[in-house]
Every structure is written in C-alpha cells, then in structure tokens.
C-alpha cells in the first residue's frame, strides 16, 4: 500500500462531513442535513493495512533506499571503507587490551626481581623472593 493511499484514507476518516450549502437550502423550506457515511477505501485489510503502512512504511522505504544506494556504490570504495573500519576496530582492540591487561606494579617488581637475580627459566632454579642469593 502506498503512503498516498494511507494518507487519503485517514483524511477521509478525519474530515468533517460537508455542511449543506445555502444555495441548496433556499429551494427547500425544510432544513435537512445530509451526512456522507464515512467508509474506508476498499483495501484488502482496511484500517489494519493503513496503520501498518503509517507505522512501518517509512522504515521500509529507508531500507530500500539504502539498498539501492549500496548497489549503485562503487565496490572498491566499499572495500576501502570496510578495510578502514576493520583497521579502526583492530586499533581500538589493541588500545583496550593493552590498557586493561597491563602488568600491575607488583607483577613488574616480581619480574624485575627474577631477572636481576640471574634466574633462568630453563634451569628451573628460582631464588626465593624474600631471600638474597648472595
């Protein structure tokens, strides 16, 4: 259903009934008010379809427009854009992980103590942390 049909249908529902004109009433002495029955335009589901169009029609049109623009876009430009997004994401991940997984002060002191005492990871001989090896 088009947006125009939805708008017209709601205008028909909300439009006040026409008042009788003065020219028609001059010929008749009796004042009778004619009312036009309010009816929806003949559609498959009537008011439900109109409400659905008003609620979701804009989203569907926007989505279709974006898909058409995506089809018209140059594929190399899209590829470059995707690569840039991936690079930015990688840089952000590295920045977050290096800030969150940074060694604490205690860990740095332990590491420094182990390397300064001549500890070899391959030999398996580790000096006690509180003791001096001298």
């Amino acid at each position: 259903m088009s947006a125009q049909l939805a708008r017209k249908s709601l205008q028909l529902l909300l439009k006040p009934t026409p008042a009788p004109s003065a020219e028609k009433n001059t010929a008749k002495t009796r004042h009778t008010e004619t009312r036009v029955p309010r009816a929806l335009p003949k559609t498959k589901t009537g008011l439900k379809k109109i409400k659905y169009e008003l609620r979701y029609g804009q989203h569907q049109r926007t989505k279709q427009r974006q898909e058409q623009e995506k089809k018209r876009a140059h594929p190399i430009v899209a590829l470059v854009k995707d690569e840039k997004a991936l690079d930015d994401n990688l840089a952000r991940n590295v920045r977050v992980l290096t800030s969150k997984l940074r060694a604490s002060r205690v860990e740095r002191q332990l590491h420094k103590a182990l390397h300064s005492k001549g500890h070899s990871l391959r030999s398996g001989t580790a000096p006690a942390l509180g003791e001096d090896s001298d």
Side-chain angles (χ1 to χ4, degrees):
M1 177 189 284
S2 69
Q4 289 178 348
L5 181 58
R7 267 191 240 110
K8 285 180 183 178
S9 301
L10 282 180
Q11 285 175 357
L12 284 174
L13 286 173
L14 301 176
K15 185 174 74 172
T17 56
S21 64
E23 296 172 358
K24 291 181 183 177
N25 286 339
T26 56
K28 295 181 182 180
T29 56
R30 220 170 93 186
H31 182 334
T32 58
E33 196 174 306
T34 58
R35 295 197 91 181
V36 176
R38 294 182 181 181
L40 289 172
K42 292 182 181 179
T43 60
K44 288 184 181 177
T45 55
L47 191 57
K48 287 183 182 179
K49 195 166 185 179
I50 293 168
K51 286 181 180 179
Y52 184 87
E53 171 67 26
L54 289 176
R55 184 176 295 145
Y56 300 112
Q58 181 64 33
H59 302 295
Q60 292 170 352
R61 287 188 295 273
T62 306
K63 188 175 180 181
Q64 288 174 354
R65 190 177 335 116
Q66 287 175 350
E67 288 175 359
Q68 289 174 354
E69 289 173 1
K70 188 176 181 182
K71 287 179 185 177
R72 291 182 194 146
H74 198 275
I76 294 177
V77 173
L79 183 65
V80 168
K81 192 176 184 180
D82 290 343
E83 288 294 323
K84 185 181 182 312
L86 287 174
D87 289 342
D88 291 344
N89 193 16
L90 178 65
R92 181 186 174 275
N93 287 344
V94 167
R95 193 171 55 248
V96 167
L97 289 175
T98 54
S99 67
K100 298 292 182 188
L101 300 178
R102 188 173 293 157
S104 67
R105 184 176 53 86
V106 174
E107 290 173 332
R108 286 193 299 267
Q109 287 176 353
L110 290 173
H111 187 270
K112 190 175 183 181
L114 287 175
H115 285 291
S116 67
K117 305 266 182 173
H119 174 262
S120 173
L121 293 175
R122 291 186 185 175
S123 68
T125 59
L129 292 178
E131 302 175 4
D132 288 332
S133 60
D134 294 335

